Amino acid sequence: PLDSRFVIIFKLPDCETTIEAKAKLAWSDPTYRCGAEFVDLDPATQRIVQDWLLQKMREDGWTLRQE
């Protein structure tokens, strides 16, 4: 069911760090695809994920604006 909580453990591509975080089920569809939302992500892990995302976005040519 939506909002089900669980621990997710994974490695980001090209990253040596194993990420372990609490998550909740954010959405699912009839073809068994689903999305998770991180909850209670510690600051160090959040930084690793943010840095990885920014790097991949730059590699893919995204334009990032400063806020």
Side-chain angles (χ1 to χ4, degrees):
L2 289 180
D3 290 331
S4 295
R5 298 198 179 233
F6 52 92
V7 173
I8 186 169
I9 302 170
F10 62 96
K11 278 190 159 187
L12 297 166
D14 303 320
C15 183
E16 294 297 318
T17 305
T18 299
I19 305 293
E20 182 172 341
K22 294 177 185 174
K24 70 178 182 177
L25 184 63
W27 62 269
S28 64
D29 70 18
T31 64
Y32 302 105
R33 296 182 303 171
C34 65
E37 177 183 342
F38 294 128
V39 293
D40 300 325
L41 198 60
D42 71 80
T45 302
Q46 182 176 357
R47 185 57 149 165
I48 290 168
V49 173
Q50 284 179 331
D51 289 348
W52 183 87
L53 285 169
L54 286 171
Q55 176 187 346
K56 294 302 173 188
M57 290 168 66
R58 286 186 185 108
E59 288 173 6
D60 287 348
W62 290 50
T63 301
L64 304 176
R65 62 185 161 132
Q66 299 293 325
E67 293 190 28

